[in-house]
Amino acid sequence: GKMTQHGKVYYSGRKWRIETVVFGQPSISIFRVDKKVMWSLIPAQKKYVEVKLSSKQILGETNKLPGEMKRLKVGSEVVNGFLCDKYEITLNQKNQPVPLKVFQWVSKDNIAVRTASPHSSWSSEYTNIKVGPLPESLFELPDGFEKLGVAPRP
């Protein structure tokens, strides 16, 4: 069956925020590449966990995927209203002898609008994309949230 997860992603340069619902509870993650930190908010408890990001974990600088060995432009297509360059990407998989191939559609604004397996057995896609200015407060810790502790770096 098809599994769909809905949420919102806000992105501004070296900062992004992901809002989803996990097991019926709102979940908010704020990534601050400029501070090398990720805050995982627990809104119901007004608490958060801080995770230090290693340089390997700092995605968002490019659309390069973990384990990426090769990226080949194979065309251009319109996806969800955005003209995108389509890439075939070869990924090195841990403990797997054969590399994995995926496709990724990247907009002129450098948004990875869709990522999918070659045979469409799975895909990840952003819809309802709006480009425009965002308030800085989206990327800050909300007032009154208490820190639960620093999680160790993975």
Side-chain angles (χ1 to χ4, degrees):
K2 183 178 178 182
M3 186 181 92
T4 303
Q5 181 175 4
H6 295 277
K8 291 184 178 181
V9 178
Y10 301 91
Y11 179 80
S12 178
R14 303 185 78 200
K15 301 175 258 194
W16 67 99
R17 174 185 177 114
I18 302 169
E19 298 178 2
T20 59
V21 175
V22 180
F23 301 114
Q25 296 294 317
S27 171
I28 300 170
S29 297
I30 300 172
F31 293 82
R32 292 293 303 263
V33 174
D34 56 333
K35 296 182 177 192
K36 294 187 169 80
V37 71
M38 185 271 287
W39 297 310
S40 182
L41 279 56
I42 308 160
Q45 298 176 16
K46 287 198 151 212
K47 297 187 185 303
Y48 72 95
V49 175
E50 182 173 293
V51 179
K52 301 285 183 199
L53 299 175
S54 69
S55 56
K56 286 182 183 176
Q57 294 171 300
I58 298 176
L59 300 173
E61 298 292 307
T62 68
N63 283 311
K64 190 170 182 176
L65 298 172
E68 184 171 320
M69 298 169 15
K70 187 167 88 173
R71 177 178 289 253
L72 177 68
K73 184 178 174 184
V74 294
S76 295
E77 294 177 17
V78 175
V79 180
N80 296 327
F82 286 83
L83 178 59
C84 297
D85 289 332
K86 181 180 179 181
Y87 295 95
E88 179 185 77
I89 302 170
T90 305
L91 302 172
N92 184 12
Q93 300 182 89
K94 283 185 181 173
N95 305 319
Q96 296 291 324
V98 180
L100 174 69
K101 288 195 186 282
V102 299
F103 289 103
Q104 189 176 63
W105 291 258
V106 180
S107 75
K108 302 300 178 200
D109 293 317
N110 205 32
I111 299 167
V113 179
R114 178 188 294 154
T115 305
S117 67
H119 306 294
S120 298
S121 60
W122 64 265
S123 68
S124 174
E125 188 169 322
Y126 291 109
T127 58
N128 196 23
I129 298 168
K130 297 178 181 87
V131 178
L134 295 168
E136 280 298 312
S137 60
L138 281 173
F139 308 105
E140 299 293 340
L141 286 168
D143 288 339
F145 272 60
E146 182 184 333
K147 187 174 183 176
L148 284 176
V150 179
R153 184 180 293 183

